Amino acid sequence: GDSFRKVIREFCSKRFAENRHFLNCISLLDGLTPAQKDRVGEMALMEEEFQEGERVIAEGEATTSIYCVKKGELSVIEGCTWSANGKLEGGSKKATLVSGDCFGERAALYGEARSSTVVADTQSEVICIGIPQLKEALGEDLAQCLQRSLLRSVLKKIPVLSHLSGPQQGKLAEAMVVKTYGPGRAIEEDSRLLVVVDGSVTGKKGSDEVTLKRGEFCQDDALLQIEGDGKKHKGKKEEQLNLSGLKSGKGGCRLA
């Protein structure tokens, strides 16, 4: 009895450690504190395995969880149906998901039905994050919590703001105003910093078109820190600087 319980405890401890480490790779949870991630790991995670061809979620279903791919490959398909014998028919493939990718987060956060079907292309393991448990771990206002988490993670990447303490970055994230833009809407260019909270934004960097997605940002040169030698700290992506002709993507966007 004691030996069996010890084996079970060790197995559970090892599985928790693996999944807790995996949480650090999930961009959706970027910016959460270690304590918050521990609570998510303890309360909200369940691991599921799917065989090749097996359906994970179906378009039109009610959304009760977010999924993150731990192993394998999966296809995102829109407009498909299922035959009486359980085979997928029609539809168009929109994306391939691999380890570290998440799906279902938008529908979960905004109370929408599933907008697509996800099917395993290979034997796959996914982490299921239950929305009720996630709310219990992070608080009832889940969308706001994850939005602030996203903004804090972006602020850490901006050289002139990265030196701020965690509480200072948190206050700055809370002070940022989020605006919603419909598809193809022009975006005002009088802001020093824009962060994509949801959807996508397109703009011009010289003659090249650039697309920014969730968690990416653009800033103007005035936000760059000037070193003593007069050189500027540039971000990892040149397209983050001085974009013009900004407009929201096909699905619209939310910007801070």
Side-chain angles (χ1 to χ4, degrees), residues 37-199:
K37 288 185 179 180
D38 284 344
R39 288 199 295 274
V40 172
E42 291 168 356
M43 301 173 63
L45 297 187
M46 182 173 67
E47 191 169 322
E48 297 185 29
E49 188 170 309
F50 295 89
Q51 302 302 314
E52 180 181 350
E54 194 172 355
R55 179 177 60 189
V56 181
I57 61 172
E59 187 173 344
E61 285 180 340
T63 303
T64 59
S65 55
I66 297 168
Y67 290 89
C68 298
V69 183
K70 190 173 182 181
K71 295 180 182 177
E73 291 188 3
L74 305 96
S75 287
V76 179
I77 303 170
E78 292 183 0
C80 67
T81 57
W82 294 86
S83 65
N85 61 1
K87 292 200 173 184
L88 185 146
E89 297 179 342
S92 57
K93 182 173 178 177
K94 297 298 183 181
T96 297
L97 302 170
V98 296
S99 179
D101 288 337
C102 294
F103 57 97
E105 64 268 35
R106 179 185 173 86
L109 295 180
Y110 302 115
E112 302 169 350
R114 303 283 191 194
S115 60
S116 57
T117 295
V118 175
V119 177
D121 293 335
T122 64
Q123 183 175 341
S124 302
E125 293 179 20
V126 300
I127 299 295
C128 175
I129 307 178
I131 299 304
Q133 293 79 16
L134 198 55
K135 286 182 177 179
E136 187 175 350
L138 300 181
E140 194 63 30
D141 197 352
L142 181 60
Q144 285 296 320
C145 178
L146 293 179
Q147 178 176 289
R148 288 193 299 270
S149 167
L150 172 70
L151 292 176
R152 285 197 300 268
S153 71
V154 172
L155 295 178
K156 291 177 183 178
K157 302 173 186 176
I158 301 173
V160 73
L161 302 176
S162 61
H163 70 283
L164 297 177
S165 67
Q168 287 174 322
Q169 290 176 343
K171 288 183 179 180
L172 185 55
E174 289 179 8
M176 296 177 77
V177 177
V178 177
K179 293 184 179 181
T180 300
Y181 295 84
R185 288 283 304 276
I187 296 167
E188 305 87 352
E189 297 183 20
D190 56 353
S191 296
R192 293 283 175 85
L193 172 68
L194 289 174
V195 179
V196 183
V197 175
D198 195 21

Side-chain angles (χ1 to χ4, degrees), residues 187 200-204 209-212 243-249:
I187 296 167
S200 63
V201 171
T202 61
K204 291 285 188 179
E209 183 168 279
V210 174
T211 298
L212 299 177
L243 299 183
S244 61
L246 294 173
K247 62 180 182 180
S248 56

